[in-house]
Amino acid sequence: MDVKDIIKEENLVYSKSKVLTDTIMHYCPGCTHGVVHKVIAEVIEELGIQDKTIGVSPVGCAVFAYNYLDIDWQEAAHGRAPALATAINRLYPDKYVFTYQGDGDLASIGTAEIIHACNRGENIVVIFINNGIYGMTGGQMAPTTLIDMPTSTTPYGRKVDLNGYPLKITDLVAQLPGTCFVTRHSAHTPAAVRKLKKAVTKAFQNTRRKKGVSFIEVVSTCNSGWKLSPVESNNWMVEHMFPYYPLGDMKDE
Amino acid sequence: MAKIRGAIVVDVERCKGCSLCVVACPSSVIALAKEVNGKGYNYAYMVNPDACTGCVNCAIVCPDTVISVYKVKADAVA
């Protein structure tokens, strides 16, 4: 059978979600942001909530997320996405509200906002991209940077006596009574992406149960910041990130 | 010949040549082309189309969603 006989409209099993726009993403080749955008778009399409979903985009590499998903968006000040999402959710309780934040946004400048939004138990979804580095500004050390991991501001590696310990913010919010679903995923293999999609679906459904924040951390790569190829970055992540940031559900109520 | 046949279509101009699909493919169907697209990236293409089963793994890990997957039962059309 020729390839031309296979490539027909009726045989199509996978194509770009309609929720994703045709804009070419500005992310570096192999960036995990693209995969997570795609997963969110597919979940929104499958749940049929495109006109009821409001996203809050962060400051960081994902600042242009509003160009890529064809839903309503609002752009928050640096780290303030959970506060803005609180306001949107209280004004429009029938909408599905989610924030999309990186580790520089959520775990550093926005620590107060995320801790208090989680403690208040707002009915929002938080997608947290953790790549252990400030990707957008040139690969500086982030709160989540691993010990001995080289960055542009810690060229000899992060040292505990000078820079402290990597922050496990997901473990912190799992302790708070306002969260109902706290989980850590990755998006480096097809199986991992499928699991992530199930978790995102569950998180969006949780907002209807009014039980509190659904928090999904995605352990990600930053191949430009890590100075590795996309495939090598994934291998580095499995070898170094996963022992410190183990995957799995921390809380599911 | 495999009973289930698949094929992928890569949106060449959107592909950034990250090669995540190359390692995700269980049948070694995909490789990066020697030629480059308009942005200078070596885009992905089917180097071994006969082995494709349409498992969708490449499309799932593609960060830029440039891959469409087609799948057909070989005996149904042949």
Side-chain angles (χ1 to χ4, degrees), chain A residues 43-44 47-56 71-73 85 88-89 92-99 123-125 200-210:
Chain A
V43 168
I44 289 172
L47 294 176
I49 55 172
Q50 188 176 4
D51 55 343
K52 292 183 222 148
T53 308
I54 302 174
V56 184
I71 55 173
D72 290 329
W73 283 94
I88 297 168
N89 183 52
Y92 299 104
D94 57 329
K95 304 280 187 191
Y96 295 79
V97 184
F98 76 94
T99 73
N123 293 303
I124 58 173
V125 178
V200 174
T201 307
K202 188 172 185 177
F204 274 98
Q205 286 166 342
N206 273 348
T207 60
R208 299 306 91 178
R209 295 166 54 222
K210 310 279 180 198

Side-chain angles (χ1 to χ4, degrees), chain A residues 158-194:
Chain A
R158 178 181 188 154
K159 299 298 173 208
V160 170
D161 52 352
L162 186 64
N163 312 113
Y165 294 93
L167 180 59
K168 291 184 179 178
I169 191 106
T170 309
D171 297 45
L172 274 176
V173 301
Q175 307 294 318
L176 301 173
T179 53
C180 68
F181 180 44
V182 181
T183 184
R184 189 184 278 128
H185 283 267
S186 73
H188 64 301
T189 61
V193 178
R194 287 191 174 100

Side-chain angles (χ1 to χ4, degrees), chain A residues 1 3 6-9 11-16 20-31 34-35 38 188-190 193-194 230-231 234, chain B residues 1 5-7 9 14 16 18-20 23-24 39 41 46 49 55-57 59-65 67-72 74 77-78:
Chain A
M1 188 189 297
V3 170
I6 304 171
I7 300 171
K8 286 179 183 163
E9 192 65 31
N11 297 334
L12 185 68
V13 287
Y14 189 94
S15 64
K16 192 164 78 74
L20 280 175
T21 63
D22 288 331
T23 315
I24 295 178
M25 293 189 188
H26 72 283
Y27 302 120
C28 307
C31 179
V35 185
K38 173 170 65 179
H188 64 301
T189 61
V193 178
R194 287 191 174 100
V231 176
N234 277 343
Chain B
M1 188 199 262
R5 290 288 310 274
V9 175
R14 293 171 66 96
K16 292 176 183 167
C18 68
S19 79
L20 290 182
V23 295
K39 287 197 167 172
Y41 292 120
M46 280 202 290
C55 71
V56 193
N57 278 3
I60 282 181
V61 295
C62 176
D64 295 279
T65 325
I67 301 177
S68 302
V69 184
Y70 297 83
K71 189 176 183 176
V72 68
V77 185

Side-chain angles (χ1 to χ4, degrees), chain B:
Chain B
M1 188 199 262
K3 273 193 174 173
I4 293 180
R5 290 288 310 274
I8 62 166
V9 175
V10 178
D11 188 341
V12 168
E13 283 307 313
R14 293 171 66 96
C15 179
K16 292 176 183 167
C18 68
S19 79
L20 290 182
C21 55
V22 176
V23 295
C25 178
S27 319
S28 308
V29 171
I30 311 172
L32 295 189
K34 285 186 182 146
E35 298 79 33
V36 293
N37 63 14
K39 287 197 167 172
Y41 292 120
N42 298 89
Y43 54 86
Y45 78 112
M46 280 202 290
V47 68
N48 184 16
D50 291 343
C52 182
T53 59
C55 71
V56 193
N57 278 3
C58 53
I60 282 181
V61 295
C62 176
D64 295 279
T65 325
V66 301
I67 301 177
S68 302
V69 184
Y70 297 83
K71 189 176 183 176
V72 68
K73 276 187 186 167
D75 49 2
V77 185

